């Protein structure tokens, strides 16, 4: 079949079946559209099959293993335990398959047609889809592009996914590395560093050409303390020059720090790369869809491209490569294309790290708030003074709130510790509602719970925290 022959008439087409793609398909179906979802590989996309779920399965296993070490504190007596990583990987695959089946069931329930193949634009309202033994043309009224991204290669690092691994394979190792070098400073780098260290790896973290992490300064200090406590070596401002295989340990990493070349022998290296958009074979240039200098599709606040009947979401658009961004964009895109008023805003995008203990952050850091011209107040509460954290044996961490001293508007919330990833939603909601200090201190917080740490941090802003020593409270008030 060639262009110009009969095309199949379709209403609403989504290209890509990841979290953003299938969410857009379902939302459009909920709004009465007849939807076709085109996926070239497996439903669930990179997040479910290679990214979020595999990596978080490993971090959850590391967290569970840490908890098991503390069970004797509660009077449990047990024989020595060991980890069967092959069995763990089998369970991970079972989870993935179950979730993929769940997406298929949701699509079927919403009467969404699923087509497997490679899609590309032929014109502003036509796409071609190549399958193993066929080629079809589809004409559409609206389309959402959700084809995701791929890791950017590094000229000095040749990925083989045996000893030199990318973000799609680092969580799938059946044997724990003796010495893992991690080249990166993002959430996944920290998650893999802590998780593999818990399971016995010697870990070296190299920060690529920078001397600190990109969180609030209080979190940065606590992260470095956590790495030191776990005997994880941190190399700042490193630039890898080459990675070669050797017969002694497995690999040799040549890198430079402050102009000095160094060599490090290790068994494995993980390079946590940034993502590039998967748009090369889509044919979007053929129909005039605009991209920026890095190839990301340019969209408006309704996630529409320059062609108003076509939207783009997820990793092919500018911004962090996070499923939470893609999922929110998916609903905005579908709603906008269906004629509803909807808008996408990244201002209060929560950032979470599934380490042990977990990390979560939303809004401005203390440093960014000052740079933006705010007179800043900070309130901080340590989990060591939280009763529920103590009884769980998880006293490590803190909650920090950044506020404007003049308006008392909450500007940012940063935390590390048990429950941080769930608790950050309270902070995100508060900031979306333009909460002030009194809005954080007025509600009732369940007791005993980690939630009370958020209350104490808010009360600390005004020097009224109950479980903070008076001297520290006076120090806070003296800085107002």
């Amino acid at each position: 079949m060639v262009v110009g022959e009969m095309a199949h008439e379709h209403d609403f087409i989504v290209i890509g079946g990841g979290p953003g793609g299938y969410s857009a398909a379902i939302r459009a179906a909920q709004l009465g559209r007849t939807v076709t979802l085109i996926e070239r590989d497996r439903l669930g996309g990179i997040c479910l099959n290679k990214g979020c779920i595999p990596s978080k399965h490993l971090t959850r296993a590391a967290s569970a293993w840490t908890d098991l070490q503390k069970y004797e504190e509660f009077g449990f007596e047990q024989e020595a335990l060991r980890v069967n990583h092959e069995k763990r990987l089998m369970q991970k695959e079972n989870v993935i398959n179950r979730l993929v089946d769940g997406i298929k069931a949701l699509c079927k329930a919403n009467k969404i047609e699923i087509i497997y193949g490679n899609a590309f634009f032929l014109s502003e309202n036509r796409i071609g889809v190549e399958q193993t033994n066929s080629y079809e043309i589809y004409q559409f009224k609206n389309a959402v592009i959700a084809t995701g991204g791929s890791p950017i290669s590094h000229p000095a690092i040749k990925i083989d996914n045996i000893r030199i691994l990318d973000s799609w394979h680092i969580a799938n190792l059946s044997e724990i590395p003796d010495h893992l070098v991690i080249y990166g400073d993002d959430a996944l780098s920290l998650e893999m560093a802590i998780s593999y260290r818990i399971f016995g790896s010697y870990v070296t973290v190299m920060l690529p050409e920078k001397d600190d992490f990109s969180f609030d300064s209080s979190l940065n200090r606590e992260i470095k303390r956590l790495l030191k406590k776990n005997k994880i070596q941190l190399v700042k401002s490193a630039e890898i020059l080459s990675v070669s295989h050797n017969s002694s340990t497995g690999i040799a990493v040549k890198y430079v720090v402050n102009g000095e070349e160094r060599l490090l022998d290790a068994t494995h290296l993980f390079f946590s790369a940034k993502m590039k958009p998967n748009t090369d074979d889509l044919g979007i240039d053929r129909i005039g869809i605009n991209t920026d200098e890095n190839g990301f599709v340019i969209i408006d606040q309704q996630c529409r491209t320059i062609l108003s009947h076509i939207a783009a979401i997820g990793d092919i658009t500018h911004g962090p490569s996070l499923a939470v961004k893609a999922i929110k964009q998916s609903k905005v895109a579908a709603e906008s294309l269906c004629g509803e008023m909807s808008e996408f805003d990244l201002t209060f995008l929560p950032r979470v790290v599934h380490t042990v203990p977990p990390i979560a952050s939303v809004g401005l850091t203390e440093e960014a708030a000052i740079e933006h011209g705010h007179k800043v107040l900070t309130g901080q509460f340590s989990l060591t003074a939280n009763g529920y954290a103590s009884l769980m044996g998880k006293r490590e961490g803190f909650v920090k709130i950044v506020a404007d001293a003049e308006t008392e508007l909450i500007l940012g919330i940063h935390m590390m510790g048990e429950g941080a990833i769930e608790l950050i939603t309270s902070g995100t909601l508060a900031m979306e509602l333009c909460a002030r200090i009194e809005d954080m201190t007025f509600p009732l917080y369940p007791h005993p719970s980690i939630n009370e740490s958020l209350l104490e941090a808010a009360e600390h802003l005004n020097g009224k925290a109950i479980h903070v020593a008076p001297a520290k409270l006076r120090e806070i008030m003296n800085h107002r």
Side-chain angles (χ1 to χ4, degrees):
M1 183 176 287
V2 296
V3 178
E5 291 189 281
M6 184 179 68
H8 302 282
E9 293 284 344
H10 283 250
D11 179 24
F12 195 107
I13 283 180
V14 179
I15 305 174
Y22 78 75
S23 296
I26 291 173
R27 180 53 53 88
Q30 290 171 340
L31 294 173
R33 304 296 294 272
T34 302
V35 182
T36 300
L37 176 62
I38 303 171
E39 168 57 46
R40 68 178 181 181
D41 193 1
R42 291 190 80 193
L43 287 177
I46 295 303
C47 179
L48 173 50
N49 295 286
K50 296 181 179 180
C52 313
I53 299 303
S55 64
K56 301 314 172 278
H57 187 273
L58 176 63
T59 62
R60 173 64 192 123
S63 178
W65 182 248
T66 302
D67 287 343
L68 285 172
Q69 314 309 307
K70 298 180 179 180
Y71 277 177
E72 290 186 357
E73 297 177 7
F74 293 90
F76 295 105
E77 297 181 356
Q78 59 188 11
E79 299 295 328
L81 294 173
R82 71 180 186 88
V83 183
N84 185 327
H85 288 285
E86 290 187 358
K87 188 174 181 179
R88 177 182 62 79
L89 291 174
M90 288 175 59
Q91 201 267 346
K92 178 206 71 176
E93 290 301 319
N94 290 337
V95 171
I96 291 172
N97 291 334
R98 186 162 60 249
L99 292 172
V100 171
D101 288 342
I103 296 170
K104 291 178 182 177
L106 282 170
C107 288
K108 183 178 180 180
N110 284 279
K111 297 185 168 114
I112 296 167
E113 178 187 16
I114 301 174
I115 297 173
Y116 292 95
N118 291 308
F120 48 90
F121 287 94
L122 300 172
S123 67
E124 292 184 6
N125 65 346
R126 286 190 173 197
I127 61 167
V129 178
E130 288 184 339
Q131 297 173 296
T132 305
N133 298 311
S134 66
Y135 171 73
E136 301 289 345
I137 296 176
Y138 299 90
Q139 186 162 311
F140 60 88
K141 295 178 182 176
N142 292 109
V144 175
I145 310 170
T147 50
S150 302
I152 297 174
S153 60
H154 189 290
I157 303 173
K158 186 176 181 180
I159 301 293
D160 60 16
N161 288 318
I162 299 172
R163 290 190 178 275
I164 306 171
L165 303 121
D166 63 17
S167 57
W168 294 354
H169 295 83
I170 182 61
N172 296 331
L173 296 175
S174 58
E175 295 183 359
I176 298 302
D178 289 334
H179 183 181
L180 174 63
V181 175
I182 295 176
Y183 190 48
D185 63 347
D186 58 0
L188 187 59
S189 298
L190 286 168
E191 289 168 352
M192 295 301 100
I194 296 295
S195 295
Y196 277 113
R197 180 60 187 141
I198 286 171
F199 286 127
S201 295
Y202 181 78
V203 178
T204 300
V205 174
M206 293 184 176
L207 299 183
E209 303 179 54
K210 60 192 300 187
D211 60 5
D212 212 341
F213 296 96
S214 55
F215 296 91
D216 182 89
S217 58
S218 297
L219 274 179
N220 285 344
R221 284 193 297 271
E222 193 69 5
I223 289 169
K224 285 179 283 190
R225 187 200 64 79
L226 180 65
L227 296 178
K228 185 176 181 180
K229 175 189 172 184
N230 283 278
K231 299 180 179 178
I232 295 172
Q233 183 182 7
L234 180 63
V235 181
K236 302 176 181 179
S237 302
E239 179 185 359
I240 289 183
L241 303 177
S242 67
V243 183
S244 57
H245 292 269
N246 63 29
S247 57
S248 56
T249 61
I251 60 170
V253 181
K254 182 187 289 187
Y255 64 102
V256 61
V257 175
N258 297 325
E260 177 188 346
E261 284 193 14
R262 302 177 186 178
L263 191 66
L264 178 64
D265 290 331
T267 59
H268 296 76
L269 179 136
F270 164 47
F271 172 46
S272 188
K274 293 182 179 180
M275 304 296 282
K276 62 180 180 180
N278 291 334
T279 56
D280 290 346
D281 301 321
L282 270 176
I284 58 174
D285 53 336
R286 183 182 297 123
I287 61 174
I289 289 180
N290 294 336
T291 59
D292 65 17
E293 63 275 13
N294 295 312
F296 293 103
V297 176
I298 297 172
I299 57 173
D300 61 18
Q301 288 181 301
Q302 285 72 46
C303 298
R304 296 176 186 263
T305 67
I306 193 171
L307 303 177
S308 61
H309 66 296
I310 299 176
I313 63 173
D315 288 352
I316 63 166
T317 65
H318 180 74
S321 297
L322 296 173
V324 62
K325 179 190 83 169
I327 292 168
K328 180 61 177 178
Q329 285 180 323
S330 72
K331 298 166 186 175
V332 171
E335 290 163 1
S336 297
L337 293 177
C338 292
E340 294 198 350
M341 295 292 293
S342 194
E343 185 175 287
F344 175 68
D345 188 347
L346 271 177
T347 303
F348 299 122
L349 178 71
R351 183 181 180 188
V352 300
V353 189
H354 290 255
T355 42
V356 182
I359 300 164
S361 177
V362 66
L364 296 178
T365 65
E366 180 180 353
E367 296 71 34
I370 293 171
E371 288 177 6
H372 280 70
H374 294 279
K375 183 180 179 182
V376 169
L377 274 180
T378 62
Q380 189 163 317
F381 183 77
S382 172
L383 263 64
T384 57
N386 177 270
Y388 198 62
S390 291
L391 73 85
M392 288 192 297
K394 297 184 177 183
R395 302 168 67 238
E396 195 168 42
F398 65 92
V399 176
K400 176 179 179 178
I401 299 178
V402 180
D404 184 282
E406 296 175 349
T407 64
E408 296 200 343
L409 187 70
I410 304 299
L411 303 174
I413 299 178
H414 314 279
M415 56 184 75
M416 173 189 284
E418 181 67 16
I421 291 171
E422 286 71 32
L423 189 55
I424 199 63
T425 301
S426 296
T428 304
L429 182 59
M431 295 176 67
E432 286 285 1
L433 296 174
C434 301
R436 288 173 166 76
I437 296 174
E438 66 175 342
D439 299 314
M440 300 292 291
T441 58
F442 180 79
L444 299 171
Y445 288 70
H447 174 82
S449 73
I450 301 294
N451 295 280
E452 294 173 291
S453 298
L454 185 61
L455 170 62
E456 297 261 16
E459 290 182 331
H460 198 196
L461 289 163
N462 281 329
K464 295 179 180 178
I466 299 298
H467 296 93
V468 176
K472 291 186 178 180
L473 291 176
R474 285 195 295 271
E475 182 182 347
I476 288 289
M477 298 308 294
N478 288 337
H479 282 83
R480 290 205 63 173

